[in-house]
Amino acid sequence: MSLYVTVEPTEDVLQANKNLTGYLIDTAGYRLESFELQQGQEYYNNSYYGSVQMKHDAFKILYVGYSKNGQTIQRVQPRVIRPQEFEVELSVLNNSLSVTPNKMTSIIVVLINHGSNNTFSILVSDYKSFVVSYSPEIVTVGKNDSVNIEINFFAPSNTSDSTTTSVSVSASIQSASTADLTNFLLFEVSVFSKEFLFVNETEVTTKLNISSLLTNPESEDSTPSNNES
């Protein structure tokens, strides 16, 4: 799992066009590994970007740069980072992200926890307010375990075919530093009536008047008539 790091030094005396060196340090201040922080371009030239593989249980970010006169500038970001990974995957029971007007429809979202045992707060909403309920709202999931989140949709009977709503599903945990850790997914659900979905193509075909497509060539007498005077 990669961590994308952004630092924005407050010093305006850093050497221009020169990258910074970043370090992961443990909670005791010992350096674990180094990585490069590249300076952003144009509007973002006050920011520095880099990425590291998160192989440690807890660490802080330290960065080192140089002033215009060559002096070393070293700063530590105070927040302790404790890697926590989990993934939200979408699974649909009926192989279709569609609902029928005036009928309750269920869609299943699978929450997979790739981190340690945690309790998750689930929140589901949609733009058209077709979501009427979901369960569970709070759930504890073990490491590498999963849980199904059942979402119930109901579209009013007067909802037009092809009406689409955007659905948001989020799963949040509380870290040791009381900062919210959240992952989410977005997907779209469309409304189609039963008549629209399950029209009988055979019946429709038999009702089609195809007689106009069948034409018989007119018989032509190939023998010219003889007119005698």
Side-chain angles (χ1 to χ4, degrees):
M1 180 171 60
S2 297
L3 172 67
Y4 292 91
V5 179
T6 301
V7 299
E8 296 181 346
T10 56
E11 297 83 4
D12 58 1
V13 293
L14 290 174
Q15 292 183 3
N17 302 318
K18 189 173 182 64
N19 295 333
L20 304 180
T21 301
Y23 295 90
L24 301 185
I25 62 173
D26 62 20
T27 53
Y30 293 101
R31 296 182 181 182
L32 302 172
E33 61 179 281
S34 63
F35 59 98
E36 186 179 33
L37 288 164
Q38 296 184 345
Q39 186 176 18
Q41 302 297 318
E42 298 180 354
Y43 180 79
Y44 302 98
N45 63 358
N46 291 327
S47 299
Y48 294 79
Y49 306 91
S51 66
V52 292
Q53 293 295 317
M54 293 195 289
K55 300 176 291 186
H56 310 283
D57 293 333
F59 55 86
K60 296 181 180 180
I61 301 295
L62 175 148
Y63 62 88
V64 177
Y66 299 93
S67 66
K68 293 179 180 179
N69 59 9
Q71 292 182 333
T72 300
I73 297 176
Q74 177 175 294
R75 298 289 183 269
V76 176
Q77 295 186 335
R79 182 177 180 181
V80 177
I81 299 173
R82 302 179 187 276
Q84 178 68 54
E85 182 182 6
F86 60 97
E87 181 180 358
V88 178
E89 296 179 358
L90 180 64
S91 174
V92 182
L93 286 179
N94 59 350
N95 296 322
S96 174
L97 290 175
S98 63
V99 300
T100 302
N102 206 36
K103 179 182 178 181
M104 193 74 71
T105 303
S106 295
I107 290 178
I108 299 297
V109 169
V110 180
L111 170 65
I112 302 177
N113 178 24
H114 293 287
S116 57
N117 184 75
N118 270 301
T119 298
F120 296 83
S121 176
I122 310 299
L123 181 62
V124 182
S125 62
D126 78 293
Y127 179 71
K128 297 287 188 180
S129 299
F130 291 161
V131 174
V132 294
S133 64
Y134 59 92
S135 180
E137 296 183 6
I138 297 178
V139 61
T140 299
V141 186
K143 182 178 181 179
N144 295 324
D145 202 356
S146 64
V147 64
N148 287 353
I149 303 168
E150 183 177 6
I151 308 172
N152 294 315
F153 295 83
F154 185 86
S157 58
N158 61 348
T159 305
S160 302
D161 278 337
S162 300
T163 298
T164 300
T165 185
S166 295
V167 183
S168 170
V169 181
S170 66
S172 303
I173 63 175
Q174 288 292 113
S175 70
S177 60
T178 70
D180 286 333
L181 296 176
T182 303
N183 201 355
F184 66 94
L185 65 86
L186 297 172
F187 61 95
E188 291 187 343
V189 169
S190 298
V191 176
F192 294 106
S193 64
K194 285 185 177 181
E195 291 77 8
F196 185 89
L197 284 176
F198 304 111
V199 62
N200 189 317
E201 295 181 357
T202 302
E203 291 182 0
V204 172
T205 302
T206 58
K207 293 178 182 178
L208 178 64
N209 183 357
I210 62 173
S211 60
S212 61
L213 303 179
L214 302 177
T215 58
N216 293 320
E218 294 181 358
S219 297
E220 296 182 356
D221 188 354
S222 58
T223 304
S225 58
N226 294 323
N227 294 325
E228 297 180 355
S229 53

